[in-house]
């Protein structure tokens, strides 16, 4: 099949499309709808959730809904540790909560999902990063240092309030890495085994929205239009992640980030151009769509150019991975089989990880 031309949609001969339920309120100042959304859902007692860093903003939100705020829990943490979930469950029971309001990034959302998994409480999420967890039926939980991920509709949030105003405080570096984390969901959706034209259309829109918005935000972090475009793009990226299967990129980030305790969004940011380069020949249509969305010769080159423009982290070394861990990362990445457009080969994966560790994308792109 020829690469798509400008404006041309990839229409496949046959596909399966699974729509996920959920209600989305998007805009600026939309947090003012929180009370009416709770009432609409028949909820009267909310447990509000955040990380310690966002506790002050959470208290303001609690004050804005008055008696509907039954309790506050501000110990949400990265990778959803089950001991934190146990404490949050006690807090939910103590205040007789009938819903949770998760305010923050993937860490707060993950805690809301973990509570819903065990109690079926209604979830309202107010996302403040671009991670996209609020749009997925996926939960990853950590117990005894091991992260287990599963998919169940029980954890899909019922109501999501995107309020652009809350993203204005996201620091530029986190904006860049979280935004690139979002782009990665859309990129892998384009070559997913169960891809379909609707999700591919969202993925392309999402990547171009992010490609426009992120440089504008880095230049002017308070640019509301750019912040709105990034949050819109992140929403679409989250739908991509929740709707179709992911491949090499997400597997590598899970393995490398989880095993060596690297920051989640930074790991995605470093790995993405390498995963695209690994798959480009096996998924030429996806590569061309990424190139078209970002503007560039190839998808990989366009991602590299965007990373340069954003001054993103570009090596695993710079975000805390030790050189001696390269072999173990390659072993873990090939341990359990998963679908990928290009077959997974131990020596090719080792080369990818070693190049990403050193930050040597030019050599990696030029091939062996
Ligand atoms: P995060 O939620 O851990 O947030 C990072 C830090 O930024 C925290 O300290 C947080 O308080 C702060 N922060 C968030 N928004 C802010 C804002 N607007 N202004 C100032 N500070 C802000 O990071 P994340 O990258 O959003 O989420 C990562 C977690 O989410 C990981 O555990 C990852 O596995 C999970 N995740 C899950 C899914 C899924 O579908 N299940 C998808 C993506 C990510």
């Amino acid at each position: 099949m020829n690469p798509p031309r400008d404006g041309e949609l990839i229409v496949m001969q046959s596909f399966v499309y699974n729509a996920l339920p959920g209600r989305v309120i998007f805009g600026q100042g939309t947090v003012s709808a929180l009370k009416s959304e709770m009432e609409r859902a028949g909820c009267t007692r909310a447990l509000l959730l955040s990380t310690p860093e966002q506790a002050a903003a959470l208290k303001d939100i609690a004050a804005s809904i008055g008696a509907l705020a039954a309790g506050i829990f501000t110990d949400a943490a990265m990778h959803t540790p089950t001991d934190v979930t146990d404490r949050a469950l006690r807090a939910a029971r103590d205040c007789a909560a009938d819903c949770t309001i998760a305010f923050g990034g993937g860490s707060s959302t993950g805690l809301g999902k973990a509570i819903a998994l065990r109690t079926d409480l209604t979830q309202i999420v107010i996302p403040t990063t671009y991670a996209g967890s609020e749009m997925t039926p996926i939960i990853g939980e950590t117990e005894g240092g091991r992260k287990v991920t599963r998919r169940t509709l029980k954890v899909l949030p019922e109501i999501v309030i995107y309020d652009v105003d809350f993203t204005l405080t996201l620091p530029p570096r986190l904006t860049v890495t979280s935004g690139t984390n979002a782009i990665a969901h859309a990129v892998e959706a384009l070559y997913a085994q169960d891809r379909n034209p609707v999700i591919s259309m969202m993925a392309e829109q999402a990547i171009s929205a992010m490609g426009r918005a992120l440089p504008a935000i880095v230049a002017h972090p308070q640019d509301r239009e750019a912040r709105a475009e990034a949050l819109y793009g992140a929403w679409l990226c989250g739908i991509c992640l929740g709707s179709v299967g992911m491949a090499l990129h997400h597997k590598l980030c899970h393995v490398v980030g989880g095993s060596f305790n690297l920051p989640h969004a930074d790991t995605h940011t470093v790995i993405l151009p390498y995963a695209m380069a690994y798959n480009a020949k096996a998924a030429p249509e996806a590569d061309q769509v990424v190139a078209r969305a970002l503007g560039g010769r190839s998808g990989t080159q366009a991602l590299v150019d965007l990373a340069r423009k954003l001054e993103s982290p570009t090596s695993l070394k710079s975000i805390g991975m030790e050189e001696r861990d390269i072999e173990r990362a390659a072993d873990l990445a090939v341990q359990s089989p998963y679908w990928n457009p290009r077959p997974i080969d131990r020596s090719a994966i080792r080369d990818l990880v070693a190049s990403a560790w050193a930050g040597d994308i030019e050599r990696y792109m030029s091939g062996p």
Side-chain angles (χ1 to χ4, degrees), residues 59-72:
K59 280 179 189 140
D60 291 343
I61 294 174
S64 77
I65 56 170
L68 297 184
I72 290 189

Side-chain angles (χ1 to χ4, degrees), residues 291-362:
R292 187 170 74 192
L294 292 176
R297 279 190 278 118
S298 70
T300 311
Q301 189 62 55
L303 289 169
V304 170
D305 292 345
L306 180 65
R308 276 208 189 106
K309 204 189 297 180
L310 298 174
E311 297 182 15
S312 307
T314 52
S315 70
L316 293 174
K317 175 171 53 174
S318 72
I319 61 166
M321 183 174 160
E322 301 288 342
E323 188 170 15
R324 62 167 184 270
D325 289 330
I326 293 173
E327 297 302 331
R328 197 154 81 86
D331 285 341
L332 291 168
V334 299
Q335 217 167 48
S336 46
Y338 52 95
W339 188 85
N340 189 62
R342 175 178 159 192
I344 300 297
D345 166 78
R346 166 73 170 72
S347 80
I349 295 296
R350 192 223 172 261
D351 184 35
L352 187 166
V353 176
S355 304
W357 181 83
D360 202 358
I361 188 69
E362 298 299 340

Side-chain angles (χ1 to χ4, degrees), residues 225-243:
E225 255 178 58
R227 286 285 187 186
E229 186 161 37
L231 194 57
Y232 175 74
W235 169 38
L236 298 185
C237 290
I239 298 175
C240 292
L241 175 67
S243 303

Side-chain angles (χ1 to χ4, degrees), residues 50-55 76-81 103-110 113 127-142 147 149-150 155 164-171 174-175 177-178 181 185 227 238 241-242 250 254 263-266 268:
S50 77
T51 59
E53 294 81 11
Q54 289 179 289
M78 188 90 87
H79 304 307
T80 327
F103 172 72
S107 297
S108 301
T109 306
K113 286 176 162 184
T128 65
T129 71
Y130 306 130
S133 176
E134 67 281 356
M135 281 296 129
T136 81
I138 305 168
I139 179 165
E141 298 185 280
T142 315
K147 188 164 177 177
T149 300
R150 70 175 120 165
V155 303
V164 177
D165 293 348
F166 289 124
T167 63
L168 294 173
T169 53
L170 195 62
L174 193 50
T175 297
T177 55
S178 188
N181 179 191
H185 308 330
R227 286 285 187 186
L241 175 67
H250 282 75
H254 183 79
H264 175 83
D266 292 52
H268 275 266

Side-chain angles (χ1 to χ4, degrees), residues 9-90:
L9 291 177
I10 300 175
V11 179
M12 299 158 73
Q13 295 302 315
S14 59
F15 55 86
V16 173
Y17 174 68
N18 256 322
L20 294 172
R23 177 174 163 84
V24 169
I25 292 98
F26 187 98
Q28 304 196 2
T30 42
V31 72
S32 61
L34 184 55
K35 203 169 175 180
S36 59
E37 285 300 319
M38 271 186 74
E39 286 160 0
R40 189 176 181 279
C43 297
T44 55
R45 301 184 62 78
L47 175 67
L48 290 94
L49 309 168
S50 77
T51 59
E53 294 81 11
Q54 289 179 289
L58 188 72
K59 280 179 189 140
D60 291 343
I61 294 174
S64 77
I65 56 170
L68 297 184
I72 290 189
F73 183 89
T74 58
D75 281 346
M78 188 90 87
H79 304 307
T80 327
T82 50
D83 57 320
V84 174
T85 300
D86 290 342
R87 284 195 287 121
L89 279 169
R90 275 198 294 279

Side-chain angles (χ1 to χ4, degrees), residues 188 191 193 246-249 275 278-279 282 338-344 349:
E188 290 231 293
Y191 55 61
Q193 188 174 28
M246 297 286 115
L248 173 68
H249 171 82
Y278 186 94
N279 283 327
Y338 52 95
W339 188 85
N340 189 62
R342 175 178 159 192
I344 300 297
I349 295 296

Side-chain angles (χ1 to χ4, degrees), residues 269-281:
T269 304
V270 172
I271 298 272
L272 183 58
Y274 294 89
M276 183 83 250
Y278 186 94
N279 283 327
K281 282 205 184 105

